[in-house]
Amino acid sequence: MADLFGMELPRRRRTNSRPEAAALLEVLKALRAHPAVAWAERMNSGAAQVGGRFIRFGWLARQGIR
């Protein structure tokens, strides 16, 4: 089996129970290695209640890979 760049990978059984997270990791690796991509990072946005406070983090509609 080969990765996105044609490098041979050792055969091993998949142990990740979160296939979406594994796919996201591979996409980020490929983007970071590509010469035409200057910057690639995952950014979350959302909100949480901590104690009695409601806290927003990130920018509105800014989830995903940027």
Side-chain angles (χ1 to χ4, degrees), residues 5-41:
F5 303 107
M7 304 288 291
E8 282 298 317
L9 296 173
R11 295 209 180 257
R12 54 184 186 181
R13 198 171 138 224
R14 185 179 186 139
T15 58
N16 190 340
S17 62
R18 298 173 38 202
E20 184 179 350
L24 178 63
L25 180 64
E26 289 298 318
V27 167
L28 281 172
K29 277 199 242 180
L31 286 172
R32 288 178 182 148
H34 197 283
V37 177
W39 179 72
E41 200 62 51

Side-chain angles (χ1 to χ4, degrees), residues 25-62:
L25 180 64
E26 289 298 318
V27 167
L28 281 172
K29 277 199 242 180
L31 286 172
R32 288 178 182 148
H34 197 283
V37 177
W39 179 72
E41 200 62 51
R42 181 154 193 265
M43 301 178 103
N44 286 329
S45 66
Q49 187 167 358
V50 179
R53 296 174 27 168
F54 186 74
I55 301 170
R56 289 189 182 273
F57 54 93
W59 292 281
L60 187 59
R62 271 281 174 121

